[in-house]
Amino acid sequence: MRRIWLLGITLLFGGILAAGCGVAKEVKTADPGAKTSNQNTEQGRASNPGEPNASSPGAGDVDKVPNDPAMEKLNKLSIEEKIGQLVLVGMDGTTSSDATRELIGKYHVGGFIFYKNNMESTKQSLQLFNDLKADNKSNPIPLWMSVDEEGGRVSRMPIDFVKVPTSRAIGTKASVELAKGIGGILGRELSGFGLNMDFAPVLDINSNPKNPVIGDRSFGNNADLVSRLGTATMEGIREQKVVPVVKHFPGHGDTSVDSHIGLPVVNHDLSRLRKLELVPFQAAVKDKAEVVMIAHLLMPKIDPDHPASFSKKVITDLLRGELGFQGVVISDDMTMGAIEENYDIGKGSVNAILAGGNIILVGHDYEKEKKAINALKNAVEDGTISKDVLNNRVYAILKLKQAYGISDKPAEGPNVQGINVDLKALLKKNGLQK
């Protein structure tokens, strides 16, 4: 009897131990899942690259994201290299120069914007772009190579290319298929040159017929039409591995002043903007737009003290907060009259970053480019721009460059003849060319 009793005790304890081991094993198995959940939370936080508040989740914690190549790259950059990523500059002439080499070698600029006077011919343009990329070989981050290529009167392509019609002409056909096809043509033109960013499409609604700057650059005066054709064009560009930049937030369509010359004042309140101007941008955000350009507009009923391009109420509260945009924000050219005639370019550049922006566009004048860069550097050194804010802004840029596979690999050149043939066929099919 005693032997049976001992055997029962042994079996009982064995069962308890076995059950204990089973529980322990289940906890151990569940633990990696819990860890993965935490990792995903951190990853999700840091993947909101536009979060402008340094104390917000993901802004100060971006260096804690595990297994993130963009984070690994960020952590290896010097302060000067990080500051350089905040600036995209223009250049003079048709060849690389001492000035461009200094902007690359000393200031580590994030990229270039090219205008008509930089692109005389297909051969020369290709040489220029490849030379700049070669000059950047000692830098750890490849260059943005950008251009305003909308079609119509805003085109930088050499004369070898058949002219792309205006957005207004495309809008008269109200065809999403046509708009996406045009976006694809624009993307092919740029990608053939090794260009990787297009400041297009225009999402402004041409609601003011006296507007001196938008006009036929808009698809029309109807919010739904602009939304449908704008997002289709964006998708066409994006499919060619070129980053589309939608512009000019929060809407440049109802102005009577050209921001290249002076500062337009738009007296609409949020209620009006939500019904009209913001509609295409909301559609683009829903369609996962990666970059938004901010206009130089003063909107007294939203922010009477700052133009939209460095207004926290416009960039942080409206674009990022209300519309939910999580991508990269770039200013319009800081050398335009709207800024030059009213603000200091250095202070404006710093304020644009503090307001929630990622990239300052300085399209002209070597001295002004250096002034903007040095102002940003001083602001980082004195703590006006905190290290957390700097890292947050640059992280978003690195993530986007990584997502598009941006590199400094030399391009072979566009297939001009093939692009022209396809464009003519597209236009003929849609009744835009005989």
Side-chain angles (χ1 to χ4, degrees):
M1 186 71 180
R2 179 180 177 84
R3 186 175 300 174
I4 294 171
W5 181 80
L6 287 173
L7 179 62
I9 292 294
T10 302
L11 290 173
L12 177 63
F13 274 95
I16 292 172
L17 287 172
C21 292
V23 171
K25 187 174 183 180
E26 285 180 13
V27 171
K28 186 175 182 181
T29 302
D31 188 57
K35 184 177 181 182
T36 300
S37 175
N38 291 337
Q39 286 176 342
N40 289 341
T41 300
E42 293 298 317
Q43 191 90 15
R45 288 174 179 173
S47 69
N48 286 344
E51 183 64 58
N53 185 348
S55 63
S56 300
D61 298 333
V62 291
D63 59 336
K64 299 177 183 178
V65 180
N67 304 318
D68 186 337
M71 184 55 54
E72 292 173 6
K73 185 76 72 173
L74 176 71
N75 290 334
K76 293 177 182 178
L77 296 182
S78 66
I79 294 295
E80 290 77 13
E81 288 169 336
K82 291 177 183 178
I83 292 168
Q85 289 301 306
L86 302 179
V87 185
L88 198 154
V89 298
M91 58 166 285
D92 293 326
T94 56
T95 60
S96 62
S97 64
D98 289 342
T100 59
R101 284 186 284 273
E102 183 174 48
L103 288 166
I104 291 171
K106 179 178 179 180
Y107 295 103
H108 313 285
V109 292
F112 287 86
I113 181 171
F114 304 100
Y115 296 96
K116 193 72 173 178
N117 62 339
N118 302 128
M119 299 179 65
E120 289 181 342
S121 70
T122 298
K123 182 178 180 181
Q124 165 270 320
S125 299
L126 181 64
Q127 186 67 54
L128 168 64
F129 304 149
N130 285 342
D131 286 348
L132 291 172
K133 290 178 180 180
D135 290 340
N136 194 58
K137 63 183 178 182
S138 62
N139 281 325
I141 309 299
L143 294 167
W144 289 123
M145 304 291 281
S146 67
V147 68
D148 288 289
E149 191 59 34
E150 304 170 11
R153 58 190 162 105
V154 181
S155 174
R156 316 306 186 197
M157 290 296 107
I159 59 172
D160 316 41
F161 290 89
V162 171
K163 197 167 182 63
V164 174
T166 65
S167 293
R168 176 186 288 167
I170 296 166
T172 62
K173 300 301 177 180
S175 168
V176 168
E177 181 184 4
L178 170 62
K180 186 171 182 179
I182 291 293
I185 292 291
L186 296 174
R188 286 170 62 189
E189 290 179 349
L190 270 63
S191 62
F193 280 113
L195 298 169
N196 50 42
M197 177 177 279
D198 189 6
F199 294 109
V202 169
L203 296 187
D204 303 307
I205 300 169
N206 192 38
S207 58
N208 182 349
K210 295 182 180 180
N211 191 316
V213 66
I214 300 301
D216 62 5
R217 298 168 66 191
S218 169
F219 291 105
N221 60 9
N222 178 279
D224 178 67
L225 178 71
V226 173
S227 299
R228 289 188 295 109
L229 301 190
T231 53
T233 305
M234 179 180 76
E235 290 169 6
I237 295 170
R238 186 161 54 195
E239 286 182 0
Q240 300 301 318
K241 306 301 181 184
V242 174
V243 180
V245 179
V246 298
K247 61 185 184 183
H248 307 79
F249 188 84
H252 210 312
D254 190 12
T255 61
S256 56
V257 174
D258 185 345
S259 53
H260 293 86
I261 300 170
L263 180 64
V265 177
V266 178
N267 281 303
H268 299 318
D269 59 16
L270 273 174
S271 177
R272 151 66 189 247
L273 293 176
R274 288 172 182 141
K275 293 176 183 176
L276 191 69
E277 281 83 2
L278 296 181
V279 174
F281 292 99
Q282 182 69 77
V285 170
K286 186 177 180 181
D287 200 33
K288 297 182 172 57
E290 292 102 343
V291 188
V292 174
M293 174 179 278
I294 310 295
H296 298 315
L297 305 171
L298 186 65
M299 311 189 80
K301 292 183 179 178
I302 297 177
D303 188 342
D305 301 317
H306 307 94
S309 43
F310 41 95
S311 166
K312 187 174 182 181
K313 292 179 181 178
V314 171
I315 299 174
T316 296
D317 298 344
L318 185 56
L319 176 59
R320 296 201 186 280
E322 183 170 323
L323 270 66
F325 179 66
Q326 297 182 357
V328 169
V329 168
I330 185 168
S331 75
D332 208 340
D333 182 8
M334 298 293 281
T335 67
M336 289 164 61
I339 301 302
E340 282 199 329
E341 298 299 320
N342 299 281
Y343 306 96
D344 176 79
I345 191 173
K347 291 181 180 178
S349 298
V350 171
N351 287 336
I353 296 299
L354 292 175
N358 301 86
I359 300 176
I360 307 302
L361 175 59
V362 191
H364 306 277
D365 196 322
Y366 178 57
E367 294 303 322
K368 292 173 185 175
E369 291 163 353
K370 292 194 295 183
K371 183 176 181 180
I373 295 169
N374 286 325
L376 292 169
K377 181 178 180 181
N378 291 337
V380 170
E381 289 176 347
D382 67 20
T384 301
I385 297 176
S386 71
K387 297 295 174 58
D388 283 345
V389 167
L390 176 63
N391 286 340
N392 175 262
R393 304 303 190 262
V394 176
Y395 176 75
I397 297 166
L398 300 183
K399 287 287 284 186
L400 184 58
K401 286 185 173 182
Q402 179 189 67
Y404 271 79
I406 305 301
S407 77
D408 286 329
K409 181 181 177 181
E412 296 181 358
N415 178 0
V416 178
Q417 183 178 359
I419 292 171
N420 287 344
V421 167
D422 291 344
L423 176 56
K424 287 179 181 178
L426 180 64
L427 298 181
K428 185 176 181 179
K429 177 182 177 182
N430 288 273
L432 290 173
Q433 190 174 80
K434 294 182 180 178

